[in-house]
Amino acid sequence: MAEIKESFFSAEGLEKRLNGKKFWKVMMTEYWIPKDINFLWAMGVVLATTFAILIISGIFLLMYYKPDTALAFDSVNYTIMQDVAYGWLFRHMHGVAASVVFLIIYIHMFTGIYYGSYKKGREMIWLSGMLLFVTFSAEGFSGYMLPWGQMSYWAAAVITNLFAGGSLEAWGLVEWIRGGFAVNDATLTRFFMLHVFLLPLVIIKLIVIHFYTLRIPHVNNQSSEDIDYDAEAEKYLAGNKKESKVIPFWPVFLSKDFAVLGLFLIFYFYLVFFNYNFAMDPVNFDPANPMKTPAHIYPEWYFLWSYETLRGPFFDMFGLKAGDIGLMIFGFAQAAFLIIPFIDRDPDILPAHKRPRFFIWFWIMIIDLLVLTVYGKLPPTGANAWVGFYATAVFLLLFASMPFVTKADAKARGAL
């Protein structure tokens, strides 16, 4: 170790001990970003900001929330909303951010799929991002249960009951998760621990991993061009900024991010102050009642598409019960996007509009997910049940056909 003679309390001494200038250069001023990007590449900063809002507002809510079945509902709807100064604001900020964060996640995810940002060296970026999506989903579900309203209780009962399907029942998983034979005080305490402690720690760690995996292959760009970052960086540093295809992360790229973030915050605070109810189910303003089942049970909007795949098969097939088939499809739906880098057989990184068959595949997928989302909130009766069944079948066919669709594009282009 090099000898450091400078005082710990001097600027030079701290710099030698921390090496902050080199860290700033590697992480910010000489971390290069493609110039050919649009506002969709700002979603990472928007997501980080939204997660920070969730953490800060959650800490304030945590001061007054009571993780007890006898006290939870009143602590949220009376103590926080009426007795605590600006408690209503922090609850609205938390509730809206919890919903909006999934909108941003979906935009971020589908941007990656459209531009092929999961291929050729970027697989770890995609996998860490999808693990973040799964962890955020668990965080969202555990938080939805905490107000202990009528829909919170019954949504928890339905979702935890998934672990009683098929051979899972023999392991007693559902009783272990609930802490009993029904959703009860132990269940609330366990989900409270997951929501405020364990899952946020996992999310923070995954964010660090996600950002780290982004350092080596760099971000993709709109044309999916393979850029020689060293050569382009030399041009930029030599003053030839116009011809260089890259820009530094700080301050140029982040200035674009902050512009998009400003627009997002306008939209976010509009919802917080004027339309916060969009993120709150009216049924959830009734206290949880184990003796009274709601007419129709459904999760939050961001889970509706996968929830519909669970109940899509409403009749027995292939010698299997409808519930078991639905459970298997639901399990596949949770992992379907995770495997995309391995079922895309096109060797080139190209945006969807340069892969005609994949372009059609992509938009059919978007439409199908919207249909699943809409019908996931409707009662599964009559025509609704059949629409859900066929939309679920299309979802499965899309992922089964992806290797053939992408390979056909590559062959038509002469890449195979």
Side-chain angles (χ1 to χ4, degrees), residues 92 130 167 195 212 303 331 343 389:
H92 292 172
M130 291 311 303
S167 61
H195 187 72
Y212 174 74
F303 295 135
I343 60 174
F389 173 78

Side-chain angles (χ1 to χ4, degrees), residues 173-184:
L173 281 178
V174 67
E175 289 83 6
W176 181 77
I177 292 168
R178 290 175 176 174
F181 293 102
V183 176
N184 56 65

